[in-house]
Amino acid sequence: EPEVTQTPSHQVTQMGQEVILRCVPISNHLYFYWYRQILGQKVEFLVSFYNNEISEKSEIFDDQFSVERPDGSNFTLKIRSTKLEDSAMYFCASRDDREVAFFGQGTRLTVV
Amino acid sequence: KQEVTQIPAALSVPEGENLVLNCSFTDSAIYNLQWFRQDPGKGLTSLLLIQSSQREQTSGRLNASLDKSSGRSTLYIAASQPGDSATYLCAVPVTGGGNKLTFGTGTQLKVEL
């Protein structure tokens, strides 16, 4: 069965460093998303992406964040200068034409 | 703003018991609702998506119902097994701009032998 894959599964970075989280959505899906989940809290929306542009972003998704689909398969989330409060599980998702959202296994980001 | 709440927050049951998880949402103008399962430290696995035109959706031992007018959905798990132990999340799409999902608080289920 097709699945959303994310790499790396765990990343530790120093505060102020840039990180890039990578995702390969399901190939025939058109909508892509990033969500995050701080430990013990709700899953929260960051950004949606359609037709090679951001379609919606949350208040969390400030100038430190950016997304890119550099080729036909990868979808990346970049955090320019990480802060301690960016530590969370980051999930990539893609959506099919039946509106079902498929999520990756997540990248656990730890900022130290 | 859509708010999604799930009760109970945690539930522990003996193996074999049938159980119901509840999800409520404040804005009834939804067009579907999705239930997910999350294992500790893992991603989200889609269990069921129920469209607003449906009242129920079934997959194996799972049955989801949706009552838009009252802003409620339930996930019924029949004959629970220890492998069902996980956190169960419901989520509704917010119309416009890519249909982001708003998630509930989750119910942490433990099925004991």
Side-chain angles (χ1 to χ4, degrees), chain A:
Chain A
E1 185 173 320
E3 59 181 18
V4 176
T5 57
Q6 290 186 242
T7 54
S9 57
H10 190 188
Q11 178 146 7
V12 180
T13 189
Q14 291 207 326
M15 193 168 53
Q17 294 297 303
E18 174 183 286
V19 294
I20 298 176
L21 310 183
R22 303 180 191 278
C23 169
V24 180
I26 296 172
S27 61
N28 60 344
H29 290 185
L30 299 178
Y31 283 91
F32 313 117
Y33 307 84
W34 284 100
Y35 291 80
R36 79 173 185 189
Q37 186 178 34
I38 294 171
L39 189 63
Q41 298 187 21
K42 283 189 184 187
V43 176
E44 50 188 355
F45 167 79
L46 291 178
V47 65
S48 59
F49 193 86
Y50 172 74
N51 202 24
N52 283 323
E53 60 182 23
I54 291 174
S55 52
E56 187 175 1
K57 56 185 181 180
S58 72
E59 294 172 353
I60 303 165
F61 195 88
D62 61 21
D63 291 344
Q64 292 299 311
F65 291 87
S66 63
V67 289
E68 196 177 37
R69 190 157 161 81
D71 53 42
S73 59
N74 291 287
F75 180 50
T76 61
L77 174 69
K78 182 192 290 186
I79 309 175
R80 266 181 265 285
S81 179
T82 49
K83 304 187 280 283
L84 293 176
E85 54 264 38
D86 293 328
S87 294
M89 194 78 154
Y90 287 81
F91 294 111
C92 173
S94 64
R95 181 163 68 87
D96 69 9
D97 56 7
R98 297 170 301 143
E99 304 282 337
V100 179
F102 293 83
F103 281 72
Q105 290 298 300
T107 293
R108 180 170 299 284
L109 177 65
T110 304
V111 183
V112 296

Side-chain angles (χ1 to χ4, degrees), chain B residues 24-93:
Chain B
S24 61
F25 44 93
T26 54
D27 184 350
S28 61
I30 64 168
Y31 55 90
N32 65 49
L33 183 145
Q34 198 166 354
W35 282 93
F36 293 89
R37 168 186 173 137
Q38 184 177 27
D39 292 285
K42 301 290 187 183
L44 307 174
T45 301
S46 179
L47 297 173
L48 288 164
L49 181 140
I50 182 164
Q51 300 287 358
S52 61
S53 57
Q54 300 173 302
R55 293 191 66 84
E56 285 190 4
Q57 186 71 261
T58 298
S59 175
R61 294 182 295 106
L62 305 180
N63 176 279
S65 68
L66 176 62
D67 184 344
K68 274 185 58 174
S69 60
S70 67
R72 291 182 184 178
S73 175
T74 60
L75 180 67
Y76 174 83
I77 302 176
S80 57
Q81 303 169 359
D84 294 331
S85 299
T87 296
Y88 291 81
L89 302 170
C90 65
V92 295

